[in-house]
């Protein structure tokens, strides 16, 4: 059941990308409904997997991959429409690829290795999509303008925080190795 919830986001990647790239393609309320379904599926798939006892590292990878594809597609569509910077949807798959390589290759873990900044970026990537969609709903003009401005500003902030996350992940192996070496050195010096 959890994987079915995750698969919903995969099925919505192309419809969302096209709907956000071409505002006239789908009714704004329908696009808002699709975004709501995607967010609900992301919120529920983990608890459903844990409750059913089916949570696994593969399921986590599937979930994060679906998230990456969904937000990248949606944000790319929003960038094509000129709603946000095009830099963000380029950075997200780079950061995700690094996340996977870092976890499975560098740290040789059996599951994805989370980071504080990466986790929050992953959650917040959905917000510019929701703001762009909200700006297309029949709100008063000033409120719609505020939503568009918020989407654009947040996309720039997320681009900066994504670069920071990429740098943090890239330097972690070196910082970890340095801490390990210092720990070994202090152990040797403290021996009687």
């Amino acid at each position: 059941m959890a994987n079915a919830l995750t698969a919903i986001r995969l099925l919505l990647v192309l419809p969302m990308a096209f709907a956000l790239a071409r505002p006239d393609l789908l009714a704004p309320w329908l696009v808002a409904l699709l975004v709501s379904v995607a967010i609900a599926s992301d919120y529920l798939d983990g608890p459903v997997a844990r409750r059913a006892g089916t949570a696994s590292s593969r399921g986590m990878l599937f979930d994060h991959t679906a998230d990456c594809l969904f937000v990248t597609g949606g944000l790319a569509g929003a960038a094509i429409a000129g709603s946000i910077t095009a830099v963000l949807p380029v950075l997200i798959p780079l950061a995700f690829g690094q996340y996977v390589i870092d976890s499975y290759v560098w740290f040789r873990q059996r599951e994805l290795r989370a980071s504080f900044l990466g986790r929050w970026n992953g959650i917040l990537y959905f917000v510019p999509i929701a703001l762009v969609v909200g700006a297309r709903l029949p709100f008063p003009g000033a409120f719609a303008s505020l939503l568009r401005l918020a989407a654009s500003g947040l996309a720039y902030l997320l681009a900066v925080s994504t670069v920071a996350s990429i740098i943090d992940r890239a330097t972690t192996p070196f910082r970890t190795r340095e801490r390990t070496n210092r720990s070994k050195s202090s152990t040797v010096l403290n021996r009687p």
Side-chain angles (χ1 to χ4, degrees):
M1 178 64 164
N3 285 340
L5 286 169
T6 301
I8 290 170
R9 289 191 304 289
L10 287 179
L11 294 174
L12 292 176
V13 170
L14 289 178
M16 283 304 303
F18 285 114
L20 288 170
R22 299 211 28 204
D24 58 330
L25 188 64
L26 295 174
W29 67 268
L30 181 56
V31 180
L33 177 65
L34 294 177
V35 169
S36 299
V37 166
I39 291 170
S41 76
D42 188 36
Y43 179 77
L44 294 172
D45 60 3
V48 166
R50 286 187 290 277
R51 199 168 301 128
T54 59
S56 69
S57 58
R58 277 191 198 161
M60 181 189 290
L61 179 61
F62 183 43
D63 174 49
H64 289 271
T65 301
D67 290 346
C68 176
L69 293 173
F70 179 81
V71 297
T72 300
L75 293 169
I80 289 167
S83 301
I84 65 159
T85 177
V87 172
L88 183 58
V90 170
L91 289 172
I92 292 171
L94 293 174
F96 181 71
Q98 181 190 30
Y99 175 39
V100 171
I101 292 168
D102 175 66
S103 299
Y104 294 125
V105 177
W106 288 111
F107 283 89
R108 295 188 176 123
Q109 292 188 187
R110 293 182 171 208
E111 63 182 41
L112 294 169
R113 189 180 71 80
S115 75
F116 177 80
L117 188 54
R119 174 173 167 66
W120 280 104
N121 282 343
I123 293 167
L124 292 174
Y125 291 145
F126 285 89
V127 178
I129 294 171
L131 292 170
V132 168
V133 170
R136 294 179 183 175
L137 292 171
F139 290 118
F143 187 67
S145 294
L146 181 63
L147 291 176
R148 281 191 292 277
L149 181 63
S152 178
L154 181 58
Y156 280 110
L157 288 173
L158 284 169
V160 170
S161 68
T162 301
V163 169
S165 176
I166 289 170
I167 292 168
D168 179 58
R169 271 197 188 275
T171 59
T172 296
F174 303 108
R175 291 191 318 261
T176 303
R177 193 175 309 133
E178 187 177 303
R179 275 193 296 260
T180 302
N181 290 340
R182 274 188 283 171
S183 175
K184 287 178 183 177
S185 295
S186 70
T187 304
V188 169
L189 293 175
N190 291 334
R191 283 189 182 160

